[in-house]
């Protein structure tokens, strides 16, 4: 089950919360490409978020960790899978995120750069969102943190 703040970070990076179609054939708040959206209307926010969460959960199961899943959601899925399989073939165990990224850096530097850039974007958006939202882990719910700009007397 996905963490609500992770979902919000993905939405923030992918679309900035805007619900529109893009020129790459994707759309909605998750900017899921048409070939992956299971024929849902990408502008249906609820279905777009549900499909995005499904995809992230699937990728987390594929890679065994949420960091690689987050990167695979946006960039280099095929190359990351290949890196994971090659690592498993030679090392006889599942790799962690850093091992997959190191392998990708050696075998495909351009994909590694894209993956690293997306990871930094997610981290940056996550830090920004933590400033304005708090996460109730027990209820998997996000709450807005009030921002008081001017001191007031009550």
């Amino acid at each position: 089950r996905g963490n609500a703040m992770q979902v919000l970070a993905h939405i923030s990076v992918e679309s900035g919360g805007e619900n529109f179609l893009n020129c790459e054939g994707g759309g909605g708040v998750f900017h899921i490409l048409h070939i992956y959206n299971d024929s849902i209307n990408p502008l249906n926010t609820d279905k777009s978020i549900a499909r995005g969460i499904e995809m992230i959960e699937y990728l987390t199961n594929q890679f065994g960790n949420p960091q690689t899943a987050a990167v695979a959601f946006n960039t280099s899925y095929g190359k990351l899978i290949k890196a994971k399989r090659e690592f498993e073939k030679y090392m006889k165990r599942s790799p962690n995120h850093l091992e997959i990224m190191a392998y990708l850096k050696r075998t495909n530097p351009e994909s590694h750069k894209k993956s690293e850039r997306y990871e930094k974007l997610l981290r940056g958006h996550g830090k920004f969102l933590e400033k304005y939202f708090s996460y109730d882990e027990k209820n998997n719910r996000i709450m807005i943190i009030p921002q008081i700009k001017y001191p007031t007397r009550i």
Side-chain angles (χ1 to χ4, degrees):
R1 186 170 168 208
N3 171 323
M5 284 299 276
Q6 290 170 337
V7 170
L8 188 57
H10 272 286
I11 289 170
S12 176
V13 170
E14 290 296 330
S15 68
E18 298 289 329
N19 194 18
F20 56 85
L21 299 174
N22 67 21
C23 61
E24 297 170 344
V29 292
F30 259 99
H31 275 240
I32 299 170
L33 293 178
H34 177 70
I35 59 173
Y36 299 116
N37 76 4
D38 281 348
S39 301
I40 63 165
N41 176 355
L43 299 179
N44 181 324
T45 307
D46 292 339
K47 289 183 179 180
S48 178
I49 291 171
R51 180 67 182 134
I53 291 170
E54 280 177 22
M55 290 176 69
I56 291 168
E57 287 176 349
Y58 169 78
L59 292 169
T60 301
N61 289 334
Q62 285 281 87
F63 291 103
N65 66 71
Q67 296 95 338
T68 310
V71 173
F73 180 81
N74 184 273
T75 62
S76 308
Y77 169 74
K79 291 176 178 62
L80 288 165
I81 281 289
K82 184 178 179 189
K84 178 183 184 278
R85 289 182 182 151
E86 289 289 317
F87 185 95
E88 289 171 339
K89 179 179 169 184
Y90 293 109
M91 301 303 286
K92 307 293 186 219
R93 66 175 176 83
S94 292
N96 64 33
H97 177 66
L98 293 175
E99 292 167 330
I100 290 174
M101 294 302 284
Y103 189 90
L104 187 64
K105 187 175 187 175
R106 274 194 323 275
T107 59
N108 197 316
E110 190 60 37
S111 290
H112 179 265
K113 283 180 191 173
K114 288 179 184 176
S115 299
E116 205 171 49
R117 180 182 163 274
Y118 191 71
E119 239 183 329
K120 285 179 185 174
L121 277 172
L122 272 177
R123 265 196 310 276
H125 281 252
K127 287 178 183 175
F128 171 78
L129 292 169
E130 286 172 1
K131 196 172 176 183
Y132 298 100
F133 300 96
S134 69
Y135 175 56
D136 176 3
E137 196 169 335
K138 181 180 175 190
N139 297 314
N140 196 30
R141 182 174 75 173
I142 296 174
M143 294 163 291
I144 297 171
I145 299 172
Q147 304 295 314
I148 299 172
K149 292 187 178 198
Y150 306 102
T152 58
R153 287 185 179 209
I154 298 178

